[in-house]
């Protein structure tokens, strides 16, 4: 391979740009960045000179240059991650700083060692060969030109084929466009719409303004907005200052104002509107230099929510509002309405999801396919969902589908209601249990990621299915494009956990679930749902409260609720109660006492601070409760007089404040939760040591304490958990050691200590875990060696670790039959912060 193929100077130029930015932003990586700038600046002219010559190099020298080119490419990716990493994230910044040091050493070694040797070799060759080759120089260049022309490397400007490399690039890009959910080959109309929106935004560089992209639900507004967000021309025009924020139907405007200010200013604020200079009449934004900046506000429903977000008059800042509705010209400077797909575009999109290709297969009833496509009326989401539902089905099934689609048109209804009726067909044909699980998705707020663990717990209790079947239903719904499953390296693994994985759903599909759940009389519905956040419970509920509600799933979405805000409801069949709210205080609903069959209680707080709960006496009536999920809650002090929850199997505490609420001196956990088998504490705060009371719950089989910065020490009594099979202590950066008592965990099968950056070693007593099958210790940089006792782990079959320690595990492979050592890439994510 020629040096012109791989070793291009543009890589070094791009890396230099990133490095200059890092010097300004990232203190931990600044020293390495400065040294890299010096080294790469020295070698960059030589790179360009080599590139300009087009000369083939000897194989060994070409290999060295190719390797250095790959190092620079990896450096560009690393520098990009450094720039995107928040300043407050000390763990990741420290990790990146170490990687920058490694990159610096590699580049320096090449510049100071290998590159001078190359130069000396070149000088020697020139001196020896100049006289012999001079008279043949012209002919040599001509032959080289002819050979390169014959190879057709690159993309042909004349459009006559482009060569094998150009064609390969096109094929890869085409596959990526189809595989990803971004701008999926929606045709020339979408391209034209994208061009119009770009022209609207790039019309004047200095002036600010508010612009709108509108269209009906499911028409691809968000897809187009996200494509614009990452467009190269847009990124260049706004100098990379492009921000994307989802507003939703029932937003917390105060929190959104905080996020907008943080995006614009680069500063992080915690609360209080009076801290915003931009909304302070005394603050003069004109004193700040005008910088081109784009803020995209997606899924805006109400003018009352929009106005507080666009009042910030920052010089050079343009705002693109994405909405189903047209806002008045008094607020919007210019707007573009997204059109539905043309016939050929609709055909291409539908056929991709129905047949895996862009056209109707030979022999298939073309007229029937076109009739089905016509019923979708050019709406991308409908084409995607209906096409996925028909994939692999016989023509008789297609005919039945076409008949049902044609009958689903309600006279006089809006286009969006018609869309719901059409897509309802796709849900009706699902297997009954899968259909019921889809309808359960309407119980969660719009535009919020649904923790997969919540969903699976809910389905396990509600539909009496094992976790494995619940996960299979998630995958099936994802394959049918009825929800989006977060891609994660651990998903579906034998010992994978679900609480750090999420699913999301298009607003229209959520509307469909709510629409289908609300077709019966309110007292007879299986699901009692609030479509959006309200200040109080629906009036319709109150009017019907004189009769029992037969719902098995009840979902409430409010702000702060006090005792007087509730009214009594009789819910004898309720099995799942989901309380979505946004406040720092919350009075638990008294009607919990009328739910004798309640099996899953889910509390999710969307405010910026942990909520304090009141009316804890309701826990005395949760006799059959099996699953409890607290998110963003100050864990309450349950008194020892509280009735034991004898059926409770699983507790999940996410983003909770622990304090001393789980201390043995405060509460007798074994008495209160005598059969608890799984406890999760993720991103929890305000506890330094693992509460000893947890180690008294001998029934525990799974203990997960993850992403807990405040945790410094694991109690020595951990070994008392003799039935524990899964122990996760990952991403706890201040844990320095595991207690020796871990060797007493005779039932332990899986140990996860990944991303424990201060952990020094595995305990010598680990050989006591004779049933241990898997260890995940990726990104544990301080661990440099292993205790000799690991060779006695006879059941160990898989170890995931960093490259530095993998060599030690390779030696253990000889002693432990069947052991597989895997060097893993990073899987760290901060996606949860987007909430």
């Amino acid at each position: 391979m020629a040096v012109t193929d791989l070793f291009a100077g543009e890589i070094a130029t791009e890396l230099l740009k990133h490095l200059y930015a890092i010097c300004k932003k990232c203190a931990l990586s600044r020293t390495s960045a400065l040294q890299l700038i010096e080294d790469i600046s020295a070698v960059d002219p030589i790179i360009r000179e080599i590139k300009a010559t087009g000369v083939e190099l000897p194989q060994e020298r070409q290999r060295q240059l190719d390797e250095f080119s790959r190092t620079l490419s990896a450096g560009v990716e690393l520098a990009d991650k450094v720039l995107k990493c928040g300043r407050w994230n000390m763990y990741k910044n420290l990790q990146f700083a170490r990687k920058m040091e490694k990159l610096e050493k590699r580049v320096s070694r090449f510049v100071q060692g290998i590159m001078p040797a190359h130069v000396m070799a070149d000088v020697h060759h020139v001196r020896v060969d100049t006289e012999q080759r001079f008279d043949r120089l012209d002919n040599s260049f001509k032959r080289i030109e002819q050979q390169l022309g014959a190879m057709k490397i690159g993309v042909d400007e004349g459009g006559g084929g482009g060569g094998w490399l150009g064609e390969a690039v096109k094929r890869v890009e085409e596959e990526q466009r189809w595989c990803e959910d971004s701008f999926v080959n929606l045709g020339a109309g979408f391209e034209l719409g994208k061009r119009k929106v770009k022209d609207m935004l790039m019309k004047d560089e200095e002036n600010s303004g508010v612009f709108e992209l509108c269209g009906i639900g499911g028409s691809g507004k968000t897809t187009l907005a996200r494509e614009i967000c990452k467009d190269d021309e847009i990124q260049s025009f706004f100098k990379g200052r492009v921000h994307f924020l989802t507003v939703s139907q029932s937003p917390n405007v105060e929190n959104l104002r905080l996020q907008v200010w943080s995006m614009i200013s680069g500063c992080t604020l915690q609360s209080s509107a009076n801290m915003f200079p931009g909304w302070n009449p005394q603050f003069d934004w004109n004193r700040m230099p005008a910088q081109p900046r784009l803020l995209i506000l997606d899924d805006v429903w109400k003018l009352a929510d929009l106005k507080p977000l666009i009042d910030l008059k920052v010089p050079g800042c343009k705002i693109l509002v994405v909405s189903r509705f047209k806002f008045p010209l008094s607020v919007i400077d210019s707007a573009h309405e997204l059109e539905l797909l043309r016939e050929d575009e609709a055909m291409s999109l539908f056929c991709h999801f129905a047949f895996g290709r862009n056209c109707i297969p030979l022999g298939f009833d073309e007229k029937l396919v076109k009739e089905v496509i016509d019923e979708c009326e050019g709406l991308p989401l409908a084409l995607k969902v209906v096409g996925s539902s028909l994939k692999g089905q016989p023509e008789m099934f297609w005919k039945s589908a076409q008949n049902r689609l044609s009958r689903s048109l309600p006279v006089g209804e809006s286009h969006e209601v018609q869309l719901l009726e059409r897509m309802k067909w796709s849900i009706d044909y699902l297997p009954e249990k899968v259909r019921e699980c889809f309808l359960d998705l309407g119980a969660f707020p719009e535009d919020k990621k649904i923790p997969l663990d919540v969903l699976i717990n809910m389905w396990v209790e509600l539909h009496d299915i094992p976790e494995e079947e619940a996960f299979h239903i998630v995958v099936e719904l994802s394959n049918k494009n009825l929800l989006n499953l977060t891609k994660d390296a651990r998903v579906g693994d034998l010992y994978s956990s679900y609480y750090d994985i999420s699913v999301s759903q298009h607003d229209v599909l959520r509307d469909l679930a709510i629409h289908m759940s609300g077709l019966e009389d309110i007292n007879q519905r299986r699901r009692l749902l609030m479509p959006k956040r309200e200040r109080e419970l629906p009036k319709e509920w109150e009017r019907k409260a004189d009769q029992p509600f037969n719902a098995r799933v009840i979902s409430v979405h409010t702000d702060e609720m006090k005792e007087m805000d509730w009214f009594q409801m009789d819910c004898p069949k309720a099995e799942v109660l989901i309380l979505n709210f946004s406040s720092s205080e919350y009075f638990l609903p008294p009607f919990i006492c009328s739910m004798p069959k309640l099996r899953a209680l889910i509390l999710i707080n969307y405010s910026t601070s942990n909520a304090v709960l009141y009316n804890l006496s309701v826990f005395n009536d949760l006799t059959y409760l099996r699953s409890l999920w607290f998110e963003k809650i100050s864990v309450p002090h349950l008194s020892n007089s509280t009735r034991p929850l004898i059926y409770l199997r699983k507790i999940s505490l996410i983003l909770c404040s622990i304090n001393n609420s789980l201390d043995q001196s405060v509460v007798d956990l074994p008495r209160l939760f005598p059969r608890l088998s799984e406890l999760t504490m993720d991103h929890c705060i305000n506890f330094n040591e693992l509460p000893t009371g947890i180690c008294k719950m001998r029934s525990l089989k799974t203990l997960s304490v993850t992403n807990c910065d405040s945790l410094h020490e694991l109690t020595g009594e951990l070994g008392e958990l003799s039935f524990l099979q899964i122990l996760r202590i990952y991403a706890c950066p201040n844990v320095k050691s595991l207690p020796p008592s871990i060797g007493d965990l005779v039932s332990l099968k899986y140990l996860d200590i990944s991303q424990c950056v201060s952990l020094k070693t595995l305990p010598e007593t680990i050989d006591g875990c004779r049933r241990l099958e898997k260890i995940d210790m990726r990104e544990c940089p301080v661990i440099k060696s292993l205790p000799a006792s690991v060779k006695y782990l006879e059941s160990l079959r898989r170890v995931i670790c960093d490259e530095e320690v993998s060599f030690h595990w390779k030696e253990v492979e000889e002693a432990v039959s069947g052991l597989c050592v895997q060097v893993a890439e990073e899987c760290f994510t901060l996606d949860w912060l987007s909430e």
Side-chain angles (χ1 to χ4, degrees), residues 42-75:
V43 77
D44 188 42
I46 303 175
I47 293 174
R48 294 187 175 278
E49 184 178 347
I50 295 175
K51 181 185 176 185
T53 63
V55 177
E56 295 283 350
L57 299 176
Q59 183 176 359
E60 179 60 24
R61 293 180 62 191
Q62 179 65 58
R63 183 192 65 78
Q64 292 174 339
L65 291 176
D66 289 347
E67 184 177 344
F68 184 59
S69 180
R70 287 190 289 269
T71 299
L72 292 184
S73 298

Short mmCIF file of all heavy atoms in Angstrom, two decimals, residues 42-75:
data_model
loop_
_atom_site.label_atom_id
_atom_site.label_comp_id
_atom_site.label_asym_id
_atom_site.label_seq_id
_atom_site.Cartn_x
_atom_site.Cartn_y
_atom_site.Cartn_z
N ALA A 42 7.01 19.46 14.00
CA ALA A 42 8.31 19.20 13.39
C ALA A 42 8.22 18.17 12.26
O ALA A 42 8.91 18.27 11.25
CB ALA A 42 9.30 18.73 14.46
N VAL A 43 7.34 17.18 12.45
CA VAL A 43 7.29 16.10 11.48
C VAL A 43 6.26 16.34 10.39
O VAL A 43 6.32 15.72 9.32
CB VAL A 43 6.99 14.76 12.20
CG1 VAL A 43 5.51 14.64 12.57
CG2 VAL A 43 7.41 13.57 11.36
N ASP A 44 5.30 17.27 10.61
CA ASP A 44 4.22 17.50 9.64
C ASP A 44 4.74 17.91 8.26
O ASP A 44 4.26 17.40 7.24
CB ASP A 44 3.25 18.56 10.20
CG ASP A 44 2.02 18.70 9.32
OD1 ASP A 44 1.49 17.65 8.89
OD2 ASP A 44 1.59 19.84 9.07
N PRO A 45 5.72 18.84 8.15
CA PRO A 45 6.24 19.18 6.81
C PRO A 45 6.83 17.98 6.07
O PRO A 45 6.70 17.86 4.85
CB PRO A 45 7.31 20.24 7.09
CG PRO A 45 6.94 20.81 8.43
CD PRO A 45 6.36 19.67 9.20
N ILE A 46 7.47 17.10 6.82
CA ILE A 46 8.06 15.91 6.20
C ILE A 46 6.95 14.99 5.69
O ILE A 46 7.05 14.40 4.61
CB ILE A 46 8.97 15.17 7.22
CG1 ILE A 46 10.05 16.13 7.73
CG2 ILE A 46 9.58 13.93 6.59
CD1 ILE A 46 10.90 15.53 8.82
N ILE A 47 5.87 14.88 6.48
CA ILE A 47 4.73 14.07 6.06
C ILE A 47 4.19 14.57 4.73
O ILE A 47 3.97 13.81 3.79
CB ILE A 47 3.61 14.11 7.13
CG1 ILE A 47 4.06 13.41 8.42
CG2 ILE A 47 2.33 13.46 6.60
CD1 ILE A 47 3.08 13.53 9.55
N ARG A 48 4.00 15.89 4.65
CA ARG A 48 3.43 16.47 3.43
C ARG A 48 4.39 16.32 2.24
O ARG A 48 3.95 16.14 1.11
CB ARG A 48 3.09 17.93 3.68
CG ARG A 48 1.97 18.09 4.71
CD ARG A 48 1.49 19.52 4.85
NE ARG A 48 0.37 19.57 5.76
CZ ARG A 48 -0.89 19.30 5.43
NH1 ARG A 48 -1.17 18.94 4.19
NH2 ARG A 48 -1.86 19.37 6.31
N GLU A 49 5.68 16.41 2.53
CA GLU A 49 6.65 16.25 1.44
C GLU A 49 6.61 14.84 0.90
O GLU A 49 6.63 14.62 -0.31
CB GLU A 49 8.05 16.59 1.96
CG GLU A 49 9.11 16.55 0.88
CD GLU A 49 10.48 16.95 1.42
OE1 GLU A 49 10.54 17.48 2.55
OE2 GLU A 49 11.46 16.72 0.72
N ILE A 50 6.55 13.86 1.82
CA ILE A 50 6.46 12.46 1.38
C ILE A 50 5.20 12.23 0.57
O ILE A 50 5.18 11.58 -0.48
CB ILE A 50 6.51 11.51 2.59
CG1 ILE A 50 7.87 11.60 3.29
CG2 ILE A 50 6.22 10.08 2.17
CD1 ILE A 50 7.97 10.80 4.56
N LYS A 51 4.07 12.81 1.10
CA LYS A 51 2.79 12.64 0.42
C LYS A 51 2.84 13.21 -1.00
O LYS A 51 2.28 12.64 -1.95
CB LYS A 51 1.68 13.30 1.23
CG LYS A 51 0.30 13.14 0.60
CD LYS A 51 -0.72 13.93 1.38
CE LYS A 51 -2.07 13.84 0.68
NZ LYS A 51 -3.09 14.68 1.30
N ALA A 52 3.51 14.38 -1.16
CA ALA A 52 3.55 15.05 -2.46
C ALA A 52 4.34 14.27 -3.49
O ALA A 52 4.07 14.35 -4.69
CB ALA A 52 4.13 16.45 -2.28
N THR A 53 5.33 13.49 -3.05
CA THR A 53 6.19 12.79 -4.00
C THR A 53 5.48 11.61 -4.65
O THR A 53 5.72 11.30 -5.81
CB THR A 53 7.45 12.26 -3.30
OG1 THR A 53 7.09 11.30 -2.30
CG2 THR A 53 8.23 13.40 -2.67
N GLY A 54 4.61 10.93 -3.91
CA GLY A 54 3.93 9.75 -4.45
C GLY A 54 4.85 8.57 -4.63
O GLY A 54 4.54 7.64 -5.37
N VAL A 55 6.02 8.54 -3.97
CA VAL A 55 7.01 7.48 -4.16
C VAL A 55 6.67 6.28 -3.30
O VAL A 55 6.29 6.41 -2.14
CB VAL A 55 8.42 8.00 -3.80
CG1 VAL A 55 9.45 6.89 -3.94
CG2 VAL A 55 8.79 9.17 -4.71
N GLU A 56 6.78 5.07 -3.90
CA GLU A 56 6.61 3.84 -3.13
C GLU A 56 7.84 3.63 -2.24
O GLU A 56 8.98 3.82 -2.67
CB GLU A 56 6.45 2.65 -4.09
CG GLU A 56 5.19 2.72 -4.93
CD GLU A 56 3.96 2.33 -4.13
OE1 GLU A 56 4.13 1.84 -3.00
OE2 GLU A 56 2.84 2.51 -4.64
N LEU A 57 7.61 3.22 -1.00
CA LEU A 57 8.70 2.98 -0.05
C LEU A 57 8.92 1.49 0.14
O LEU A 57 8.03 0.68 -0.12
CB LEU A 57 8.35 3.63 1.30
CG LEU A 57 8.16 5.15 1.30
CD1 LEU A 57 7.73 5.61 2.68
CD2 LEU A 57 9.43 5.85 0.89
N PRO A 58 10.13 1.10 0.61
CA PRO A 58 10.36 -0.30 0.95
C PRO A 58 9.34 -0.78 1.98
O PRO A 58 8.82 -0.01 2.78
CB PRO A 58 11.79 -0.29 1.53
CG PRO A 58 12.41 0.93 0.94
CD PRO A 58 11.32 1.93 0.79
N GLN A 59 9.08 -2.09 1.97
CA GLN A 59 8.01 -2.65 2.79
C GLN A 59 8.17 -2.34 4.27
O GLN A 59 7.21 -1.95 4.95
CB GLN A 59 7.95 -4.16 2.57
CG GLN A 59 6.80 -4.83 3.33
CD GLN A 59 6.72 -6.31 3.03
OE1 GLN A 59 7.49 -6.84 2.25
NE2 GLN A 59 5.78 -6.98 3.66
N GLU A 60 9.37 -2.49 4.82
CA GLU A 60 9.57 -2.26 6.25
C GLU A 60 9.35 -0.81 6.62
O GLU A 60 8.71 -0.49 7.64
CB GLU A 60 11.00 -2.70 6.65
CG GLU A 60 11.33 -2.49 8.12
CD GLU A 60 10.40 -3.25 9.05
OE1 GLU A 60 9.81 -4.25 8.62
OE2 GLU A 60 10.25 -2.83 10.22
N ARG A 61 9.85 0.12 5.78
CA ARG A 61 9.66 1.54 6.08
C ARG A 61 8.20 1.93 5.92
O ARG A 61 7.67 2.73 6.69
CB ARG A 61 10.54 2.38 5.14
CG ARG A 61 12.04 2.19 5.41
CD ARG A 61 12.88 3.05 4.48
NE ARG A 61 12.60 4.46 4.68
CZ ARG A 61 13.03 5.43 3.85
NH1 ARG A 61 13.74 5.11 2.80
NH2 ARG A 61 12.74 6.68 4.11
N GLN A 62 7.55 1.35 4.90
CA GLN A 62 6.11 1.64 4.73
C GLN A 62 5.33 1.15 5.96
O GLN A 62 4.40 1.81 6.43
CB GLN A 62 5.59 0.95 3.47
CG GLN A 62 4.09 1.18 3.23
CD GLN A 62 3.77 2.62 2.95
OE1 GLN A 62 4.30 3.20 2.01
NE2 GLN A 62 2.92 3.22 3.75
N ARG A 63 5.71 -0.02 6.49
CA ARG A 63 5.03 -0.56 7.67
C ARG A 63 5.17 0.39 8.87
O ARG A 63 4.20 0.65 9.60
CB ARG A 63 5.60 -1.93 8.04
CG ARG A 63 4.89 -2.59 9.23
CD ARG A 63 5.66 -3.80 9.72
NE ARG A 63 6.96 -3.40 10.26
CZ ARG A 63 7.11 -2.86 11.47
NH1 ARG A 63 6.08 -2.63 12.25
NH2 ARG A 63 8.33 -2.54 11.91
N GLN A 64 6.37 0.94 9.06
CA GLN A 64 6.59 1.87 10.16
C GLN A 64 5.76 3.15 9.99
O GLN A 64 5.17 3.66 10.95
CB GLN A 64 8.08 2.21 10.26
CG GLN A 64 8.95 1.03 10.69
CD GLN A 64 10.43 1.38 10.63
OE1 GLN A 64 10.83 2.31 9.93
NE2 GLN A 64 11.24 0.62 11.37
N LEU A 65 5.72 3.66 8.76
CA LEU A 65 4.93 4.87 8.51
C LEU A 65 3.43 4.60 8.67
O LEU A 65 2.69 5.44 9.20
CB LEU A 65 5.22 5.40 7.10
CG LEU A 65 6.63 5.98 6.91
CD1 LEU A 65 6.83 6.38 5.45
CD2 LEU A 65 6.85 7.18 7.80
N ASP A 66 2.99 3.44 8.20
CA ASP A 66 1.58 3.09 8.37
C ASP A 66 1.21 3.00 9.85
O ASP A 66 0.14 3.46 10.28
CB ASP A 66 1.28 1.75 7.69
CG ASP A 66 1.32 1.86 6.17
OD1 ASP A 66 1.33 2.99 5.66
OD2 ASP A 66 1.34 0.80 5.51
N GLU A 67 2.11 2.41 10.63
CA GLU A 67 1.87 2.29 12.07
C GLU A 67 1.78 3.67 12.73
O GLU A 67 0.93 3.93 13.58
CB GLU A 67 2.98 1.45 12.71
CG GLU A 67 2.74 1.19 14.20
CD GLU A 67 3.82 0.29 14.79
OE1 GLU A 67 4.56 -0.36 14.02
OE2 GLU A 67 3.91 0.25 16.03
N PHE A 68 2.68 4.57 12.31
CA PHE A 68 2.65 5.93 12.87
C PHE A 68 1.38 6.67 12.43
O PHE A 68 0.78 7.43 13.20
CB PHE A 68 3.88 6.69 12.39
CG PHE A 68 4.00 8.07 13.00
CD1 PHE A 68 4.06 8.24 14.38
CD2 PHE A 68 4.02 9.20 12.20
CE1 PHE A 68 4.17 9.50 14.94
CE2 PHE A 68 4.12 10.47 12.76
CZ PHE A 68 4.20 10.62 14.14
N SER A 69 0.94 6.42 11.20
CA SER A 69 -0.30 7.03 10.73
C SER A 69 -1.48 6.57 11.57
O SER A 69 -2.35 7.37 11.94
CB SER A 69 -0.53 6.66 9.26
OG SER A 69 -1.74 7.23 8.79
N ARG A 70 -1.51 5.28 11.89
CA ARG A 70 -2.58 4.78 12.75
C ARG A 70 -2.50 5.38 14.15
O ARG A 70 -3.52 5.64 14.80
CB ARG A 70 -2.54 3.25 12.81
CG ARG A 70 -3.01 2.58 11.52
CD ARG A 70 -3.19 1.09 11.70
NE ARG A 70 -1.91 0.41 11.83
CZ ARG A 70 -1.23 -0.09 10.81
NH1 ARG A 70 -1.71 0.03 9.57
NH2 ARG A 70 -0.07 -0.70 10.98
N THR A 71 -1.28 5.61 14.63
CA THR A 71 -1.11 6.25 15.94
C THR A 71 -1.70 7.66 15.93
O THR A 71 -2.38 8.08 16.86
CB THR A 71 0.38 6.31 16.31
OG1 THR A 71 0.90 4.98 16.40
CG2 THR A 71 0.59 7.01 17.66
N LEU A 72 -1.42 8.42 14.85
CA LEU A 72 -1.98 9.77 14.75
C LEU A 72 -3.50 9.73 14.66
O LEU A 72 -4.19 10.57 15.25
CB LEU A 72 -1.40 10.48 13.54
CG LEU A 72 0.10 10.84 13.59
CD1 LEU A 72 0.48 11.63 12.35
CD2 LEU A 72 0.44 11.63 14.84
N SER A 73 -4.05 8.76 13.91
CA SER A 73 -5.50 8.65 13.80
C SER A 73 -6.13 8.37 15.15
O SER A 73 -7.15 8.95 15.52
CB SER A 73 -5.87 7.54 12.80
OG SER A 73 -5.40 7.84 11.51
N ALA A 74 -5.49 7.45 15.90
CA ALA A 74 -5.98 7.17 17.26
C ALA A 74 -5.86 8.40 18.14
O ALA A 74 -6.69 8.65 19.02
CB ALA A 74 -5.20 6.00 17.86
N GLY A 75 -4.80 9.20 17.89
CA GLY A 75 -4.62 10.44 18.64
C GLY A 75 -5.74 11.44 18.39
O GLY A 75 -6.18 12.14 19.30
#
